[in-house]
Amino acid sequence: MAVRVVIAGGSFGGLTTAYELRRHLGPDQATITVIAKDRRFTFVPSLPWVAMGRRSLEQISFDLAGPLAAKRVVFVHDTVTGVDTERRLVATDQGEHRYDFLVVATGHRSANEAVEGLGPFDGPGHSPMSAPEATELRLAVRALLEAPGPVVVGAAPGASCIGPAYELAFELDHLLRRRKLRHQVPITFLTPEPFLGHMGMGGAGKIRQLLEGELEERDIAYATSTAVTKITPETVEVAGASPVPSVLSIIIPPLAGIEAVANSAGLANPKGFLPVDAHYRHQVADAVYGVGVAVAMAPVAETPVPVNFPKTGHMTEQMAQIAARDIAARIAGRNREAAAELSARCVLDMGDRGAYMAVDPVRPPRNAIPTVVEGRRWLLAKRVFERTYLWHARHGRHIPSTLGW
Ligand SMILES: Cc1cc2nc3c(=O)[nH]c(=O)nc-3n(C[C@H](O)[C@H](O)[C@H](O)COP(=O)(O)OP(=O)(O)OC[C@H]3O[C@@H](n4cnc5c(N)ncnc54)[C@H](O)[C@@H]3O)c2cc1C
């Protein structure tokens, strides 16, 4: 009888796991079921472009059902409500799914409660962490163009996904310059990082110097080791300093695991993230794996204001491949491969240019000196990568991870 593999989540982690598993295991060896609360795959790294009005959600997403069916993967459009690891059962809004192996790839919940006023739907602050939030931010950016005023962009204490904050500051600066409105909009960048470009991974080569130069060149004021405490419609309050005036406050929140995972007995740590080993297998529940933002990863070091370890799309794909190969090896009775360390590649949109960063491994100390280069061609590379990724994902294929993100 075929082994039952259930994958919760249909984004970078879930889709990559499904495709990679199917590459190793035929339908006679494994039934693979993907359960996702969103019917569509969304290329999340392009959400800042949605917020800036440069992409529609339609352009950066596709329906999961067709591509998964083509790979003989069952797609269930449903919401997971809990996991019973003893009975190997996933509960959903509409029923139950038994599994022999479960991969949790359900991403994050924005822990907006960490900062009073952090929104957008529960406060005046904005963040682009999901499709609805990016769409809401798009309206707020339009309103700013109508009625210019001071802007704050940044990240809250404990944030881990800080790259998009830089992108939004640069993109906003670029948009306002093009509209000849920049002189009416002071922009302040507030970050919990101990230095610019720390990004939760202890920095990457010369990215700190590059970002300092780029923000200064563009008249974007910045403050590091900053703890944002409250967002009001007119200000952003920070610990130990005067409030910063702001009519548009874009703050990346700290992340937590989704409630269904956090509330399932024995599955998650207090933040709702899965404790996993080097193969992304749960440290206690032997049949459960976790990949992507759903897994627990310790910060690289203690910092004056907490900054958490980043879990990028590129890293999520690597985790999914390692987990899928491990499951396939266990099902086929093969020897398990040694798990590789995670590396990271990323292109940061700086409005009129892009900066490419590559670190290997993500956690310092590193074998290779990180690559940090910038120029207009990297912005083009980011656009091409988005299109290429979406095409491949829609056709059940992997993007070689040597390409930049
Ligand atoms: C604005 C922004 C910009 C970014 N830019 C970059 C970048 O340039 N490069 C990069 O490498 N990374 C980037 N990232 C990070 C990257 O997007 C994440 O690492 C990636 O999305 C993580 O994938 P995931 O599969 O773990 O989770 P997610 O992408 O969060 O997907 C979660 C999946 O789980 C499903 N789900 C959630 N709850 C349930 C439930 N209860 N039941 C069923 N299904 C559920 C959702 O429908 C979804 O399919 C960015 C992130 C953001 C927010």
Side-chain angles (χ1 to χ4, degrees):
M1 206 179 87
V3 173
R4 292 161 302 190
V5 183
V6 172
I7 300 167
S11 181
F12 293 97
L15 201 58
T16 306
T17 306
Y19 288 168
E20 184 72 13
L21 272 172
R22 193 43 97 221
R23 230 160 55 80
H24 292 276
L25 300 167
D28 53 323
Q29 291 170 291
T31 59
I32 305 173
T33 304
V34 169
I35 307 171
K37 76 171 171 55
D38 295 297
R39 187 185 286 282
R40 292 177 78 79
F41 172 95
T42 298
F43 191 78
V44 178
S46 294
L47 289 180
W49 290 345
V50 171
M52 291 296 140
R54 287 166 49 197
R55 289 281 187 285
S56 66
L57 285 177
E58 193 65 27
Q59 285 172 313
I60 62 159
S61 65
F62 61 84
D63 218 303
L64 283 163
L68 286 173
K71 290 279 163 190
R72 302 178 75 180
V73 172
V74 179
F75 176 56
V76 179
H77 179 216
D78 200 354
T79 299
V80 171
T81 53
V83 175
D84 183 337
T85 54
E86 297 281 310
R87 292 164 62 216
R88 297 196 176 185
L89 208 68
V90 175
T92 66
D93 272 348
Q94 291 165 36
E96 288 182 343
H97 300 261
R98 295 201 166 275
Y99 64 82
D100 298 303
F101 290 99
L102 168 68
V103 181
V104 178
T106 43
H108 77 273
R109 174 182 77 78
S110 288
N112 288 348
E113 67 277 8
V115 174
E116 191 182 337
L118 218 165
F121 303 118
D122 35 12
H126 305 268
S127 73
M129 301 305 290
S130 65
E133 289 166 314
T135 307
E136 188 278 344
L137 179 54
R138 184 182 191 135
L139 298 177
V141 170
R142 266 192 217 157
L144 179 80
L145 298 178
E146 296 293 318
V151 166
V152 167
V153 184
S160 52
C161 181
I162 296 176
Y166 286 99
E167 292 191 314
L168 284 159
F170 286 126
E171 288 169 16
L172 211 46
D173 166 78
H174 184 60
L175 175 67
L176 290 161
R177 277 178 209 286
R178 282 205 331 255
R179 302 284 178 108
K180 305 278 182 249
L181 292 171
R182 182 64 173 86
H183 66 297
Q184 297 178 51
V185 183
I187 303 179
T188 307
F189 186 80
L190 300 178
T191 179
E193 299 162 286
F195 54 85
L196 295 183
H198 179 283
M199 307 256 188
M201 58 182 175
K206 292 182 179 158
I207 191 69
R208 169 186 185 158
Q209 289 78 7
L210 181 113
L211 288 170
E212 284 173 356
E214 296 291 334
L215 289 179
E216 283 162 14
E217 193 173 78
R218 289 164 167 81
D219 298 322
I220 301 175
Y222 61 83
T224 53
S225 291
T226 299
V228 171
T229 52
K230 184 174 174 182
I231 302 168
T232 72
E234 295 89 26
T235 57
V236 172
E237 296 182 13
V238 293
S242 305
V244 185
S246 177
V247 297
L248 174 65
S249 308
I250 308 170
I251 300 293
I252 303 288
L255 305 183
I258 66 157
E259 275 167 13
V261 170
N263 297 337
S264 294
L267 196 59
N269 70 13
K271 283 187 178 171
F273 294 126
L274 272 77
V276 291
D277 68 12
H279 290 91
Y280 300 96
R281 182 156 83 172
H282 196 279
Q283 285 175 3
V284 180
D286 185 52
V288 178
Y289 286 71
V291 300
V293 179
V295 304
M297 291 205 163
V300 288
E302 204 175 307
T303 47
V305 179
V307 183
N308 276 306
F309 193 73
K311 292 168 246 176
T312 66
H314 178 221
M315 289 158 68
T316 297
E317 294 233 308
Q318 295 168 65
M319 296 182 216
Q321 285 172 337
I322 293 169
R325 284 186 206 134
D326 199 61
I327 295 170
R330 285 172 71 186
I331 291 175
R334 288 195 311 268
N335 286 337
R336 300 166 65 195
E337 290 173 21
E341 282 253 23
L342 297 179
S343 61
R345 291 190 175 81
C346 164
V347 179
L348 195 79
D349 178 0
M350 297 193 300
D352 56 346
R353 274 168 283 166
Y356 172 73
M357 272 185 297
V359 290
D360 187 11
V362 181
R363 273 179 203 277
R366 304 177 178 119
N367 296 321
I369 290 177
T371 304
V372 177
V373 282
E374 58 100 18
R376 288 184 69 81
R377 71 196 167 107
W378 289 108
L379 194 50
L380 180 66
K382 192 168 173 84
R383 290 181 191 142
V384 171
F385 182 75
E386 173 210 58
R387 298 288 158 92
T388 316
Y389 189 97
L390 281 164
W391 189 89
H392 277 73
R394 204 182 278 125
H395 291 86
R397 299 192 191 171
H398 266 128
I399 299 270
S401 63
T402 43
L403 282 172
W405 271 74

